[in-house]
CSV table of all heavy atoms in Angstrom, one decimal:
chain,number,residue,atom,x,y,z
A,8,THR,N,0.8,-1.2,0.0
A,8,THR,CA,0.0,0.0,0.0
A,8,THR,C,0.9,1.3,0.0
A,8,THR,O,0.6,2.2,-0.7
A,8,THR,CB,-0.9,0.0,1.2
A,8,THR,OG1,-1.7,-1.2,1.2
A,8,THR,CG2,-1.9,1.2,1.2
A,9,ALA,N,1.9,1.2,0.8
A,9,ALA,CA,2.8,2.4,0.8
A,9,ALA,C,3.5,2.6,-0.5
A,9,ALA,O,3.7,3.7,-1.0
A,9,ALA,CB,3.9,2.2,1.9
A,10,ALA,N,3.9,1.5,-1.2
A,10,ALA,CA,4.5,1.6,-2.5
A,10,ALA,C,3.5,2.1,-3.5
A,10,ALA,O,3.9,3.0,-4.3
A,10,ALA,CB,5.0,0.2,-2.9
A,11,ALA,N,2.3,1.7,-3.5
A,11,ALA,CA,1.3,2.2,-4.4
A,11,ALA,C,1.1,3.7,-4.2
A,11,ALA,O,1.0,4.5,-5.2
A,11,ALA,CB,0.0,1.5,-4.3
A,12,GLU,N,1.0,4.1,-3.0
A,12,GLU,CA,0.8,5.5,-2.6
A,12,GLU,C,2.0,6.4,-3.1
A,12,GLU,O,1.8,7.5,-3.6
A,12,GLU,CB,0.5,5.7,-1.1
A,12,GLU,CG,-0.8,5.2,-0.7
A,12,GLU,CD,-2.0,6.0,-1.1
A,12,GLU,OE1,-1.8,7.0,-1.8
A,12,GLU,OE2,-3.2,5.6,-0.7
A,13,ALA,N,3.1,5.9,-2.9
A,13,ALA,CA,4.4,6.6,-3.3
A,13,ALA,C,4.4,6.8,-4.8
A,13,ALA,O,4.8,7.8,-5.3
A,13,ALA,CB,5.6,5.9,-2.8
A,14,LEU,N,4.1,5.7,-5.5
A,14,LEU,CA,4.1,5.8,-7.0
A,14,LEU,C,3.0,6.8,-7.5
A,14,LEU,O,3.3,7.6,-8.4
A,14,LEU,CB,3.8,4.4,-7.6
A,14,LEU,CG,4.9,3.3,-7.4
A,14,LEU,CD1,4.4,2.0,-7.7
A,14,LEU,CD2,6.1,3.7,-8.3
A,15,LEU,N,1.9,6.8,-6.8
A,15,LEU,CA,0.8,7.8,-7.2
A,15,LEU,C,1.3,9.2,-6.9
A,15,LEU,O,1.0,10.1,-7.7
A,15,LEU,CB,-0.5,7.5,-6.5
A,15,LEU,CG,-1.4,6.5,-7.2
A,15,LEU,CD1,-2.7,6.3,-6.3
A,15,LEU,CD2,-1.8,6.9,-8.6
A,16,ALA,N,1.9,9.4,-5.8
A,16,ALA,CA,2.4,10.7,-5.4
A,16,ALA,C,3.4,11.2,-6.4
A,16,ALA,O,3.4,12.4,-6.8
A,16,ALA,CB,3.0,10.7,-4.0
A,17,SER,N,4.3,10.3,-6.9
A,17,SER,CA,5.3,10.7,-7.9
A,17,SER,C,4.6,11.0,-9.2
A,17,SER,O,4.9,12.0,-9.9
A,17,SER,CB,6.2,9.5,-8.1
A,17,SER,OG,7.1,9.7,-9.2
A,18,ALA,N,3.5,10.2,-9.5
A,18,ALA,CA,2.8,10.5,-10.8
A,18,ALA,C,2.1,11.9,-10.7
A,18,ALA,O,2.1,12.7,-11.7
A,18,ALA,CB,1.7,9.4,-11.0
A,19,ARG,N,1.6,12.2,-9.5
A,19,ARG,CA,1.0,13.6,-9.4
A,19,ARG,C,2.0,14.7,-9.5
A,19,ARG,O,1.7,15.7,-10.1
A,19,ARG,CB,0.3,13.6,-8.0
A,19,ARG,CG,-1.0,12.8,-7.8
A,19,ARG,CD,-1.6,13.2,-6.5
A,19,ARG,NE,-2.9,12.5,-6.3
A,19,ARG,CZ,-3.0,11.4,-5.5
A,19,ARG,NH1,-1.9,10.8,-5.0
A,19,ARG,NH2,-4.2,10.8,-5.4
A,20,ARG,N,3.2,14.4,-9.0
A,20,ARG,CA,4.2,15.5,-9.1
A,20,ARG,C,4.6,15.7,-10.6
A,20,ARG,O,5.0,16.8,-11.0
A,20,ARG,CB,5.5,15.0,-8.4
A,20,ARG,CG,5.4,15.2,-6.8
A,20,ARG,CD,6.6,14.6,-6.1
A,20,ARG,NE,7.8,15.2,-6.5
A,20,ARG,CZ,8.3,16.3,-5.9
A,20,ARG,NH1,7.7,16.8,-4.8
A,20,ARG,NH2,9.4,16.8,-6.3
A,21,ALA,N,4.4,14.6,-11.4
A,21,ALA,CA,4.7,14.7,-12.8
A,21,ALA,C,3.5,15.2,-13.6
A,21,ALA,O,3.5,15.3,-14.9
A,21,ALA,CB,5.2,13.4,-13.4
A,22,GLY,N,2.4,15.5,-12.9
A,22,GLY,CA,1.2,16.1,-13.6
A,22,GLY,C,0.0,15.3,-13.7
A,22,GLY,O,-1.1,15.7,-14.2
A,23,ALA,N,0.1,14.0,-13.2
A,23,ALA,CA,-1.1,13.1,-13.3
A,23,ALA,C,-2.2,13.6,-12.4
A,23,ALA,O,-2.0,14.2,-11.3
A,23,ALA,CB,-0.7,11.7,-12.9
A,24,VAL,N,-3.4,13.4,-12.8
A,24,VAL,CA,-4.6,13.7,-12.0
A,24,VAL,C,-5.3,12.4,-11.6
A,24,VAL,O,-5.5,11.5,-12.5
A,24,VAL,CB,-5.6,14.6,-12.8
A,24,VAL,CG1,-6.9,14.9,-11.9
A,24,VAL,CG2,-4.9,15.9,-13.1
A,25,VAL,N,-5.7,12.3,-10.3
A,25,VAL,CA,-6.3,11.0,-9.8
A,25,VAL,C,-7.8,11.3,-9.4
A,25,VAL,O,-8.0,12.2,-8.6
A,25,VAL,CB,-5.5,10.5,-8.7
A,25,VAL,CG1,-6.1,9.2,-8.2
A,25,VAL,CG2,-4.0,10.2,-9.1
A,26,HIS,N,-8.7,10.5,-10.0
A,26,HIS,CA,-10.1,10.5,-9.6
A,26,HIS,C,-10.5,9.2,-8.9
A,26,HIS,O,-10.4,8.1,-9.6
A,26,HIS,CB,-11.0,10.7,-10.8
A,26,HIS,CG,-10.7,12.0,-11.5
A,26,HIS,ND1,-11.4,13.2,-11.2
A,26,HIS,CD2,-9.9,12.3,-12.6
A,26,HIS,CE1,-11.0,14.2,-12.0
A,26,HIS,NE2,-10.1,13.7,-12.9
A,27,THR,N,-10.9,9.3,-7.7
A,27,THR,CA,-11.3,8.0,-7.0
A,27,THR,C,-12.8,8.0,-6.8
A,27,THR,O,-13.5,9.0,-7.0
A,27,THR,CB,-10.6,7.9,-5.6
A,27,THR,OG1,-10.9,9.1,-4.8
A,27,THR,CG2,-9.1,7.8,-5.7
A,28,HIS,N,-13.4,6.9,-6.5
A,28,HIS,CA,-14.8,6.6,-6.3
A,28,HIS,C,-15.6,7.1,-7.6
A,28,HIS,O,-16.6,7.7,-7.5
A,28,HIS,CB,-15.3,7.4,-5.1
A,28,HIS,CG,-14.6,6.9,-3.8
A,28,HIS,ND1,-14.9,5.7,-3.2
A,28,HIS,CD2,-13.6,7.5,-3.1
A,28,HIS,CE1,-14.1,5.6,-2.2
A,28,HIS,NE2,-13.3,6.7,-2.1
A,29,GLU,N,-15.0,6.7,-8.7
A,29,GLU,CA,-15.6,7.0,-10.0
A,29,GLU,C,-15.5,5.8,-10.9
A,29,GLU,O,-14.4,5.4,-11.3
A,29,GLU,CB,-15.0,8.2,-10.7
A,29,GLU,CG,-15.6,8.6,-12.0
A,29,GLU,CD,-15.1,10.0,-12.5
A,29,GLU,OE1,-14.2,10.6,-11.9
A,29,GLU,OE2,-15.5,10.4,-13.6
A,30,ARG,N,-16.7,5.2,-11.2
A,30,ARG,CA,-16.7,3.9,-11.9
A,30,ARG,C,-16.7,4.2,-13.4
A,30,ARG,O,-17.6,4.9,-13.9
A,30,ARG,CB,-17.9,3.1,-11.5
A,30,ARG,CG,-17.9,1.7,-12.1
A,30,ARG,CD,-19.3,1.0,-11.8
A,30,ARG,NE,-19.4,0.8,-10.4
A,30,ARG,CZ,-19.0,-0.3,-9.7
A,30,ARG,NH1,-18.5,-1.3,-10.4
A,30,ARG,NH2,-19.2,-0.3,-8.4
A,31,VAL,N,-15.8,3.5,-14.2
A,31,VAL,CA,-15.9,3.6,-15.6
A,31,VAL,C,-17.0,2.6,-16.1
A,31,VAL,O,-17.0,1.5,-15.7
A,31,VAL,CB,-14.5,3.2,-16.2
A,31,VAL,CG1,-14.6,3.1,-17.8
A,31,VAL,CG2,-13.5,4.2,-15.9
A,32,THR,N,-17.8,3.1,-17.0
A,32,THR,CA,-19.0,2.3,-17.5
A,32,THR,C,-18.9,2.0,-19.0
A,32,THR,O,-19.7,1.2,-19.5
A,32,THR,CB,-20.3,3.1,-17.2
A,32,THR,OG1,-20.2,4.4,-17.9
A,32,THR,CG2,-20.5,3.3,-15.7
A,33,GLY,N,-18.0,2.6,-19.7
A,33,GLY,CA,-17.9,2.3,-21.2
A,33,GLY,C,-16.9,3.1,-21.9
A,33,GLY,O,-16.1,3.9,-21.3
A,34,LEU,N,-16.8,2.9,-23.2
A,34,LEU,CA,-15.8,3.6,-24.0
A,34,LEU,C,-16.5,4.3,-25.2
A,34,LEU,O,-17.4,3.8,-25.8
A,34,LEU,CB,-14.9,2.5,-24.6
A,34,LEU,CG,-13.7,3.0,-25.4
A,34,LEU,CD1,-12.7,3.7,-24.5
A,34,LEU,CD2,-13.0,1.8,-26.2
A,35,LEU,N,-16.1,5.6,-25.4
A,35,LEU,CA,-16.6,6.3,-26.5
A,35,LEU,C,-15.5,6.2,-27.6
A,35,LEU,O,-14.3,6.3,-27.3
A,35,LEU,CB,-16.8,7.8,-26.1
A,35,LEU,CG,-17.8,8.0,-25.0
A,35,LEU,CD1,-17.9,9.5,-24.7
A,35,LEU,CD2,-19.2,7.5,-25.4
A,36,ARG,N,-16.0,6.0,-28.9
A,36,ARG,CA,-15.0,5.8,-29.9
A,36,ARG,C,-15.2,6.8,-31.1
A,36,ARG,O,-16.3,7.4,-31.3
A,36,ARG,CB,-15.2,4.4,-30.5
A,36,ARG,CG,-15.0,3.3,-29.5
A,36,ARG,CD,-14.8,2.0,-30.2
A,36,ARG,NE,-15.4,0.9,-29.5
A,36,ARG,CZ,-15.5,-0.3,-29.9
A,36,ARG,NH1,-15.0,-0.6,-31.0
A,36,ARG,NH2,-16.1,-1.3,-29.2
A,37,ARG,N,-14.1,6.9,-31.8
A,37,ARG,CA,-14.2,7.8,-33.0
A,37,ARG,C,-14.8,7.0,-34.2
A,37,ARG,O,-15.1,5.8,-34.0
A,37,ARG,CB,-12.7,8.2,-33.4
A,37,ARG,CG,-12.1,9.1,-32.3
A,37,ARG,CD,-10.7,9.6,-32.8
A,37,ARG,NE,-10.1,10.5,-31.8
A,37,ARG,CZ,-9.4,10.1,-30.8
A,37,ARG,NH1,-9.1,8.9,-30.6
A,37,ARG,NH2,-8.9,11.1,-29.9
A,38,ALA,N,-14.9,7.6,-35.3
A,38,ALA,CA,-15.6,7.0,-36.4
A,38,ALA,C,-14.8,5.8,-36.9
A,38,ALA,O,-15.4,4.8,-37.4
A,38,ALA,CB,-15.7,8.0,-37.6
A,39,ASP,N,-13.5,5.8,-36.7
A,39,ASP,CA,-12.6,4.7,-37.1
A,39,ASP,C,-12.6,3.5,-36.1
A,39,ASP,O,-11.9,2.5,-36.3
A,39,ASP,CB,-11.2,5.1,-37.5
A,39,ASP,CG,-10.5,5.7,-36.3
A,39,ASP,OD1,-11.1,5.7,-35.2
A,39,ASP,OD2,-9.3,6.1,-36.4
A,40,GLY,N,-13.3,3.7,-35.0
A,40,GLY,CA,-13.4,2.6,-34.0
A,40,GLY,C,-12.4,2.8,-32.9
A,40,GLY,O,-12.4,2.0,-31.9
A,41,SER,N,-11.5,3.8,-32.9
A,41,SER,CA,-10.5,4.0,-31.9
A,41,SER,C,-11.0,4.6,-30.7
A,41,SER,O,-12.1,5.3,-30.7
A,41,SER,CB,-9.3,4.8,-32.5
A,41,SER,OG,-9.7,6.1,-32.9
A,42,ALA,N,-10.3,4.5,-29.6
A,42,ALA,CA,-10.8,5.1,-28.3
A,42,ALA,C,-10.8,6.6,-28.4
A,42,ALA,O,-9.8,7.2,-29.0
A,42,ALA,CB,-9.8,4.7,-27.2
A,43,ARG,N,-11.8,7.3,-27.9
A,43,ARG,CA,-11.9,8.7,-27.9
A,43,ARG,C,-12.1,9.2,-26.5
A,43,ARG,O,-11.5,10.3,-26.1
A,43,ARG,CB,-13.1,9.2,-28.7
A,43,ARG,CG,-13.3,10.7,-28.7
A,43,ARG,CD,-14.5,11.1,-29.6
A,43,ARG,NE,-15.8,10.6,-29.2
A,43,ARG,CZ,-16.5,11.2,-28.2
A,43,ARG,NH1,-16.1,12.3,-27.6
A,43,ARG,NH2,-17.7,10.8,-27.9
A,44,ALA,N,-12.7,8.4,-25.6
A,44,ALA,CA,-12.9,8.8,-24.2
A,44,ALA,C,-13.5,7.6,-23.4
A,44,ALA,O,-14.0,6.7,-24.0
A,44,ALA,CB,-14.0,10.0,-24.1
A,45,VAL,N,-13.3,7.7,-22.1
A,45,VAL,CA,-14.0,6.7,-21.3
A,45,VAL,C,-15.2,7.4,-20.7
A,45,VAL,O,-15.2,8.6,-20.3
A,45,VAL,CB,-13.1,6.2,-20.1
A,45,VAL,CG1,-12.0,5.3,-20.7
A,45,VAL,CG2,-12.6,7.3,-19.2
A,46,ARG,N,-16.3,6.6,-20.6
A,46,ARG,CA,-17.5,7.1,-20.0
A,46,ARG,C,-17.6,6.6,-18.5
A,46,ARG,O,-17.3,5.5,-18.2
A,46,ARG,CB,-18.7,6.6,-20.8
A,46,ARG,CG,-20.1,7.1,-20.3
A,46,ARG,CD,-21.2,6.7,-21.2
A,46,ARG,NE,-21.3,5.2,-21.3
A,46,ARG,CZ,-21.1,4.6,-22.4
A,46,ARG,NH1,-20.7,5.2,-23.5
A,46,ARG,NH2,-21.2,3.2,-22.4
A,47,THR,N,-17.9,7.5,-17.6
A,47,THR,CA,-18.0,7.1,-16.2
A,47,THR,C,-19.4,7.5,-15.7
A,47,THR,O,-20.2,8.1,-16.4
A,47,THR,CB,-17.0,7.9,-15.4
A,47,THR,OG1,-17.4,9.2,-15.1
A,47,THR,CG2,-15.6,7.8,-16.0
A,48,GLU,N,-19.7,7.2,-14.4
A,48,GLU,CA,-20.9,7.5,-13.8
A,48,GLU,C,-21.1,9.1,-13.7
A,48,GLU,O,-22.2,9.5,-13.5
A,48,GLU,CB,-21.0,6.9,-12.4
A,48,GLU,CG,-21.0,5.4,-12.4
A,48,GLU,CD,-20.8,4.8,-11.1
A,48,GLU,OE1,-20.1,5.3,-10.3
A,48,GLU,OE2,-21.4,3.7,-10.8
A,49,ARG,N,-20.0,9.8,-13.8
A,49,ARG,CA,-20.1,11.3,-13.6
A,49,ARG,C,-20.0,12.0,-14.9
A,49,ARG,O,-20.2,13.2,-15.0
A,49,ARG,CB,-18.9,11.7,-12.7
A,49,ARG,CG,-18.9,11.1,-11.4
A,49,ARG,CD,-17.7,11.6,-10.6
A,49,ARG,NE,-17.5,10.9,-9.3
A,49,ARG,CZ,-16.5,11.1,-8.5
A,49,ARG,NH1,-15.5,11.9,-8.8
A,49,ARG,NH2,-16.4,10.4,-7.4
């Protein structure tokens, strides 16, 4: 747990944004079928 938290803290320092308690429900795609966005409950 400490290792995971440290890795996330390092990711945040490099600019990552973390959203917790948010469930991914699907994938939005472009016309060619590639990923465009993830859909969540929010």
Side-chain angles (χ1 to χ4, degrees):
T8 306
E12 290 287 2
L14 290 165
L15 274 181
S17 174
R19 287 188 179 99
R20 285 174 62 91
V24 177
V25 180
H26 298 274
T27 56
H28 302 284
E29 184 171 357
R30 185 188 297 268
V31 172
T32 59
L34 185 69
L35 302 178
R36 299 196 220 175
R37 297 183 175 90
D39 63 1
S41 62
R43 179 175 66 82
V45 294
R46 185 173 59 248
T47 77
E48 295 169 326
R49 301 179 189 172

